[in-house]
Each structure stands twice: as structure tokens, then as C-alpha cells.
Amino acid sequence: MDHRSSSTKLCKYVAHEDFISNLPDGLKDKILCCLPIKEAVATCLLSRNWRYTWTSMTELMFRADDFTSENGNANDDKSRFLKFTDMFLSLHDGPILKFGLNTKDVQIYTGGHIYRWMLILSRKRIKELQLRTTMRDCYKIPSSFFSCHELESVYLRFCRLTTSQLPLLSKGFKQLHTLHLECCYILGGNNFGDLVASCPNLNKLILNRIYSLADINIHSTKLKMLTLDGHFKHLNLHTPCLTSAVIKLRPLPSDASKIRCNFNFSQFIASLSDVESISYLGPILERAEHELLVLKLPKSFNRLKRISLDLDLGNLKEANLALYLFQHAPYLQFINLQLTSNEPIVPAVHFWESIDRHVCLFQNVRAVGMINFTGSGAELGFLKLILEDAPVLKRAFINDNGKLGKDDLKNLLKLRRASKDAEIVIFSGSVPPV
Amino acid sequence: MAATTADGSKVVGGGEKSNVDEESKMITLFSSDGERFEVTQEAAAMSQTIHHMMEDGCVDDEGVHLPNVGSSILAMVIEYCNRHVASPDEKEDIRSFDAGFVNVEHHTLFDIIRAANYLDVKELMDLCCQTVADSIKSKSVEEIRELFGIVNDFTPEEEAEIRKENQWAFE
């Protein structure tokens, strides 16, 4: 095979026989779907054979960027884009399996287009929907969305889901395996759980940068990957079969100091026996001062390989929880701690130093990251523990935000370590996740 | 066993290790012109058609007959599958391999597309269709016709009418 020339022979070749027009319809469709949509429509001029081929394209991607002209003004470009898409959809014949919309850099203020297009799509047996819209387009999810019964994968951005709006006639999404909402509002009501319940095959649920005032109850035994990132007023999760859980609780923009979310972390983590990766950023303990409830926890988290937590190593309760996790996750490989330190009500003095060194806690840990390291007693104690304990540790990342003095840093580098390969890397900037 | 590619170079089935490794099972494929190819089951499974046949137990001791695929094309498809199965993680290498792989004459590319369609090798179909699409991009209608040998069976008036009908697409 000639690997040297990069320009394909195809471009220079002039064909003597028309192979392309005689391809089976499915293949012609595939080729058209790889073209920018305007060029796909332009094939109607090639020959009689091609006149209507574009009208049955099954995968459509409409990019507002493709309609920007150098000289034109933005409004004209927008109008052309909207008109093109409207005309295309009205002339289209047959199923639309995949519909993508990308108006990322272009703001389309007239919201009606999403409703018009969704209504059409609901009659087109759509399977995959990707609406990458902009903030200004923030729209309420049209009710026709819930009639798209064959949906398998959904990506929506900058939209509002008023859960009490879930249409009564909605049969749910029986084939849906992936639902990804980005920068959305979920307002009031407690029907989000019903939505999830109506998706019996939901495998992956991603709610990123969400602002939710709703009661979110997620009960699913099929769900494998869950990401919840944002402000959630209330979370109740029963998802025992997760392999990956990412939960990042953000404070309200108006009240950056506190995260108000009704969520029981220890109960949640207790339910995840098969989980492989947990990333939890948010308060571990509820604000109420009750004893750490170590409920019916599984004997061990046998599959847990990665864990990422917000942790106050100096808080006795949090330290106990963390210790429990490390004791019951024998195959843990990567630990990432975002350290917090508040004035401890019950300080964990010498907690980490007093851990029994004869039991190997971090048997398989290869890397540990400690962000916002202040060099406090508890943090140093933990660092010493893991360095002296972990036999296969390769790297310990420490990010001190520039706060530690040179002597302190030098002392860190001198700490004893069990693993000969262990490296201590100190960053003053942002640390890459472990 | 070796498969012969279109330019005559020989490629060992499944990467060198499969000849030594007794665990990886081989499967025999017969092209339309009766030529015999031995492939690892792993590489053969990239073809959903063959994969389903293996799963359903439809493959007898003799092997799989592929009456729709000629030997030279089958050899190329096998080369593709072998390469992709051998080191699926080396993205740069695979990318340059793919680029070289589709750098062929027209009729060959379309034969590969048909074979990949029949054998249901999704990645290969995607690669070839994207290649064809890339050659169409940014070309005028006349240039595309010339490139693919498409005969213009419109009268100039008909063509003008279609343009007018679909004016919204050409603005």
C-alpha cells in the first residue's frame, strides 16, 4: 500500500463508468449524510437518478455556522439558516434517524423553530437527537419531544424542563439509553423520577451544569453511568448498578458559601456495590449532626478503582468515612482529594498517625492527588500514611496554591515512602485530575 | 496463512502473534472466485455478517463462502480488519493506515464499499463513505459529474427548473 501520498487518487481521476449512482440506496444515503447539508441537497442537480436522493437522508446535521457569509449581516444569515432548515424538513420524505442542530455561535432569538422542528421529528421515528443551542435560545422542551417514542440518545442544552409538564399521554422512552442535559433548568415538581422510570433501558444519565428546584428521585436498576453536576435542591438516588458516579454539587451563584442540597451521601455510596469510579464533590456529611450511619454497606467495593472526593481530613467524621472507604476498597488505584479545612468541631488530632500500619490500606493505589494542601497536621498525617503504606504508588500530586513555604515543600519531598518508584510532584497551579 | 493484497504484498493474518498463539482460532473464508483466506476469528468478527454466522453456528468446518466478494477485494478487507484488530489503540498509526488504505482507484473503492456493506464492517463503510464524501465536498455539480462519470440527463431547461424549485438551497 502506498502510504506516502496524502492527496487521494480519487480527486484526480476521471471516471469512465458511473459506479456511484448504482450503489444501493443505503450507501448513497450514507455518503450524502457525510456531506455538509447544503451540498447534499445540491446533488439534486447531478442527474435524474439523484434528483430526490437527498430527500430521504436519514441523518441530518444543521449547522448555523455553514450559513454565515463573509459580507452578509448576522440577521440575514440567521434567516437563511431558518428558511433552509424549514424547507428541507418540509420536503423531506421518510424517517429521520438522527437529527443534529448546532447553533453554537449563532443566537437565534425566535424560539418557534425548535417547536416546529420537534413536531416534525416526532413523526419521523427519530432515534438520536442532538440540539446544541445557545443560551439565548433557552427554550421550554416542547411537548412533542415526549412523543418521539423511538428515541435512543438525547443531548439537549439550554432548555427548561418543567417536570409538571410531562404529558399524561407520554408513553415514555422505551429505547432511550443515553440522556444528556447540559445547562438546563429543571423547575418544580417531582416528575423527573417518573421520566427516568419511563425509560427502562436508560444506561447513561448526564445532568451537567443544571439548576434544579425539583425533587429529583432517580430509581433505576439499569443505569450504569450517572453524572449530576449543578445545583440541586433535593436528590434521592437509588441506582445500585452504577459503574460510574460523578456528583458535583454547586452552590447557588448568589450564595457561594453554602451548598444547600438535601442529599444523603453515605446512604448513596452504601448502595453502590459494583461501582468502578466515584467522583463526588460536595459536602460528605449532611449538616445535621448525627452519628455516621454505616448502614448495610457491602462487604467491599470490589470494583472500585477511582475515587475523587471533597474531604476535610481534619474532621473526625469525614476522616472516619474516608477511612472506611479505603478499608473496603481493596482494588482502589487512584485517589483524588479536594481538601477543605474548616474549624473542626471535633478535631481529628493524630487520627491518621494512629492508623494501624500493619494492615495495608492502599495495596493497589498507584496515584494520589491532594488539592488545596495547606500542610495541616491532618493533611500531613494522611500524606505520610499513604506514602509509607502504598507499595505500588507511582505518584503523589500535591497542589498547595502557592501557600507553602520552601522549607515545608522540601520536607514534603523528603518523606519516607514504601514504593521505590513513588514520586512526589508539587504543583502551585491547577492539578490535572489523577 | 498469508493473504495477498492488491499490490502483491503479503500480509500475515491477524498480526504475527496469531501464528504462534494457538489459542486464537482461525476461520477460513472463500472468495467468489474460490480463493481461500485464513483469518483469526477476532478479525473476521469485525464483519457483523460473519460474526452473526459464527454466533449462530452457521460456520461449518469448511469455512464461510462469500459469493459476493472477489479475492482481491476480500484480501483488502481482511487487511483492514487485521490492522484494526491488531492495535486498536494506536490512533495515529491507524489514521495513517486508513488514509493510505483508501488511496485507491475509483472502481476499487466502490468495490470495497460494496464488500464492506455486504460483510457489514461498519468502520470500513464509514471510512470509505467519508472518503467519497470528501471528494465531493466543495465541488461544482459539473466537477462532481466528471469525477464519478455521472451522465447529465437533464436538459438545460430542466436543470434551470430544478434550481428554481430548490432556490432556498442555493441561496
Side-chain angles (χ1 to χ4, degrees), chain A residues 59-241:
Chain A
E59 295 187 6
L60 309 174
M61 170 59 83
F62 294 92
R63 260 183 256 270
D65 284 349
D66 291 344
F67 290 79
T68 49
S69 51
E70 289 113 24
N71 315 322
N73 72 47
N75 280 327
D76 280 347
D77 294 340
K78 266 182 244 169
S79 312
R80 280 185 305 119
F81 171 66
L82 289 174
K83 184 173 176 193
F84 179 92
T85 312
D86 280 326
M87 288 300 297
F88 185 101
L89 288 175
S90 65
L91 292 172
H92 185 274
D93 190 27
I96 296 178
L97 301 179
K98 188 167 163 183
F99 182 91
L101 178 66
N102 195 322
T103 58
K104 206 169 164 221
D105 293 326
V106 173
Q107 291 162 357
I108 301 182
Y109 297 101
T110 59
H113 57 292
I114 304 268
Y115 302 99
R116 285 199 298 275
W117 299 342
M118 192 71 80
L119 189 55
I120 294 175
L121 291 174
S122 66
R123 290 154 197 212
K124 291 282 201 171
R125 296 164 57 192
I126 181 140
K127 291 197 173 156
E128 189 176 329
L129 185 67
Q130 294 218 3
L131 302 185
R132 289 175 196 264
T133 47
T134 61
M135 192 154 74
R136 302 281 182 133
D137 296 337
C138 193
Y139 59 94
K140 184 175 140 196
I141 294 183
S143 52
S144 52
F145 169 77
F146 299 98
S147 300
C148 302
H149 299 305
E150 302 192 37
L151 277 174
E152 294 176 6
S153 170
V154 171
Y155 176 99
L156 297 175
R157 193 156 80 183
F158 290 120
C159 61
R160 299 194 310 275
L161 176 64
T162 309
T163 55
S164 49
Q165 84 184 82
L166 282 182
L168 297 166
L169 293 171
S170 166
K171 292 191 247 166
F173 301 109
K174 302 269 182 286
Q175 321 288 347
L176 190 65
H177 57 70
T178 302
L179 175 61
H180 183 149
L181 298 180
E182 186 89 19
C183 306
C184 296
Y185 290 94
I186 302 181
L187 305 167
N190 54 11
N191 291 348
F192 192 81
D194 289 344
L195 175 60
V196 171
S198 74
C199 308
N201 287 305
L202 193 62
N203 190 281
K204 194 164 160 181
L205 176 63
I206 300 177
L207 301 180
N208 240 352
R209 291 161 68 193
I210 302 292
Y211 178 84
S212 163
L213 292 176
D215 290 341
I216 299 204
N217 296 303
I218 299 178
H219 283 234
S220 168
T221 49
K222 271 273 177 98
L223 204 58
K224 290 264 181 249
M225 291 173 62
L226 177 65
T227 298
L228 297 173
D229 172 340
H231 169 86
F232 298 92
K233 185 182 123 200
H234 175 91
L235 270 185
N236 186 339
L237 305 174
H238 178 71
T239 48
C241 300

Side-chain angles (χ1 to χ4, degrees), chain A residues 245-261:
Chain A
V246 176
I247 302 187
K248 183 169 179 178
L249 301 178
R250 293 179 188 249
L252 276 174
S254 50
D255 184 5
S257 57
K258 287 206 173 111
I259 291 175
R260 297 176 201 284
C261 172

Side-chain angles (χ1 to χ4, degrees), chain B residues 40-58:
Chain B
T40 60
Q41 280 199 4
E42 202 191 345
M46 274 192 81
S47 152
Q48 287 300 307
T49 308
I50 298 180
H51 175 69
H52 288 311
M53 286 169 89
M54 292 197 292
E55 295 240 294
D56 297 342
C58 292

